[in-house]
Amino acid sequence: MRSLHAKLALSFVVVALVAMVITVGVAQLVIAARFGDFLSGTRQAQAERLAQALAPWYRDTGTWEGLRIQLGGPGGHMMMRRWPERVLVMDARGRLVFDSGGGPPPTPAMLERWLRQGQPILVDGRTVGTVAVQGAVEAGMRTLEAIFTRSVRSAMITGGLLAAAVAAVLGAYLAGRISGRLRIFQQAAASIAGRDLAVRVPEDGDDELAALGRAFNLMAGNLQESEKARRNLVADVTHELRTPLSILRGGLESLQDGVIAASPEVVSSLADEALRLSHLVSDLQDLNLAEAGHLPLDLGRVDVGELVEGALSPLRIEAQLRMLRLESRLPSGLPAVQADARRTQQVLMNILTNAIKYTPAGGTITIAARVGAGRVAISVTDDGPGIDTGELRHIFNRFYRGDRARSRAEGGTGLGLSIARGYVEAQGGSIWAENVPPRGARFTFELPVQPD
Ligand code: ADP
């Protein structure tokens, strides 16, 4: 495999050489064309001057007959010596009356071309003949052109080779820098593959590699967080399963050994633990589905009053036992929400259960609702101890339990609020918590209004 470094440097050199070849070719074509123009311009000027010199001669003689003798004579001879090209003179009817020679014998086609390209000889505004200067291009001019072209070409080739050398050095330098940065990415990717998720690459600058670096670091950061979450989850699940399992095992072993009798209380407490375990497992399963966006939802029109009543009625006795007041303050005319009734009731029950659990006797728990921006917000406010500010941003995390919850015998698994959040967000809503002065906590969740 040829390295990127070599490839880039080579392509710089190739570009310089191709540019050189194209420039030399174009320059050669342009020079040849310009020289051609110059020569035909010169010939045209010569023909004009000859036409001007021949017009008075014709006016005097009235015929072209003696022209050959005239130009062949001493004066004409001189003239022809000054004009080394082939000079041709045609009369008014297009017949060749003079040919200085120095070219192939004239054919009718050549005669026609000379007449077309030649310069008319005018006497009193009448065309009496045509003079043309043709072929037999000065060897000197062509030699000059060849010398000029050759020197331009060699200058360009030298320049091109120098440019290629500079391009090679520059290309090698730039390619070295780029491939050096890419090597860092390669090593970092290899480290990630080897499960070293803490590795990061430099991301300063504003070019594509810096953008790649930022994307890479973001990916590594996310991977690291997911890995941490996975480890925590395994640790938390293990921890949560251990207690009920060891209670069950201990109880069953005691029964087996005959240490305790299989009284209805013992059996019922063991059954409670088994139930707790199965709740835990099904909660985790639902939570996983919700977070992965695969929670099956039965969305439909849900009346908020019925929803609140459905969540409150199973909890009324528990609230009474704890000497808590449950108040529902729903405004009249609330629109229905678009939701999964069973899951939304579960959300409300999780929040209410917490409020009942954490509010001391004599407290009040209020359910309220309001509508705005196409959403209905349902809130549960208690006048319990509230939530520590440091804990507020963690309480929706899986297995998170506040210090207070941990120290209480009835503290749950720390899944209630994360399930509430999972269910609400799966339905396109949002949920949050805040403390309310002078004391107490408020949990609010919003769901979209059912469209008509
Ligand atoms: P848990 O099973 O511990 O109740 P949750 O996920 O339902 O788990 O709640 C997470 C934590 O949020 C609780 O441990 C508690 O610290 C705090 N919390 C929830 N609701 C309230 C409330 N109404 N008042 C005070 N703290 C609360």
Side-chain angles (χ1 to χ4, degrees), residues 354-355 357-358 382 385-387 391 395 400-405 411-418 441 443:
N354 278 346
K357 206 157 49 177
Y358 297 110
D382 64 53
I387 304 153
E391 291 183 352
I395 55 174
Y400 182 83
R401 282 187 293 168
D403 287 341
R404 228 174 266 124
T413 54
L415 281 178
L417 287 180
S418 43
F443 287 82

Side-chain angles (χ1 to χ4, degrees), residues 351 370 377-380 430-434 442-446:
I351 297 173
R370 66 188 145 79
I378 301 165
S379 64
V380 175
S430 52
I431 183 167
W432 66 94
E434 63 204 313
R442 176 181 297 146
F443 287 82
T444 312
F445 64 94
E446 284 184 336

Side-chain angles (χ1 to χ4, degrees), residues 42 78 94 210 237 252 271 333 335 425:
T42 314
M78 287 291 289
V237 170
L252 289 170
E425 288 181 354

Side-chain angles (χ1 to χ4, degrees), residues 46-60 64 67 70-71 79 82-83 120-123 131:
Q46 287 168 350
E48 270 173 36
R49 260 179 281 170
L50 272 170
Q52 274 163 20
L54 289 171
W57 185 85
Y58 185 86
R59 192 186 291 117
D60 293 347
W64 288 119
L67 181 67
Q70 171 67 21
L71 290 182
M79 200 174 179
R82 275 199 288 127
W83 309 115
I121 304 164
L122 299 173
V123 171
V131 59

Side-chain angles (χ1 to χ4, degrees), residues 120-141:
I121 304 164
L122 299 173
V123 171
D124 303 329
R126 196 166 54 89
T127 304
V128 296
T130 307
V131 59
V133 179
Q134 279 299 317
V137 178
E138 313 88 317
M141 272 315 231

Side-chain angles (χ1 to χ4, degrees), residues 184-195:
I184 295 175
F185 285 123
Q186 188 203 352
Q187 283 159 0
S191 303
I192 297 256
R195 306 221 66 77

Side-chain angles (χ1 to χ4, degrees), residues 371-376 446-449:
V371 62
R375 294 180 155 226
V376 174
E446 284 184 336
L447 288 172
V449 168

Side-chain angles (χ1 to χ4, degrees), residues 169-218:
V169 174
L170 204 69
Y173 169 73
L174 286 177
R177 286 192 55 167
I178 294 172
S179 62
R181 287 169 76 185
L182 286 178
R183 214 167 302 127
I184 295 175
F185 285 123
Q186 188 203 352
Q187 283 159 0
S191 303
I192 297 256
R195 306 221 66 77
D196 173 10
L197 303 178
V199 70
R200 294 291 181 275
V201 293
E203 52 175 65
D204 25 72
D206 56 0
D207 56 9
E208 286 84 349
L209 284 180
L212 178 63
R214 282 190 286 275
F216 184 95
N217 288 346
L218 194 67

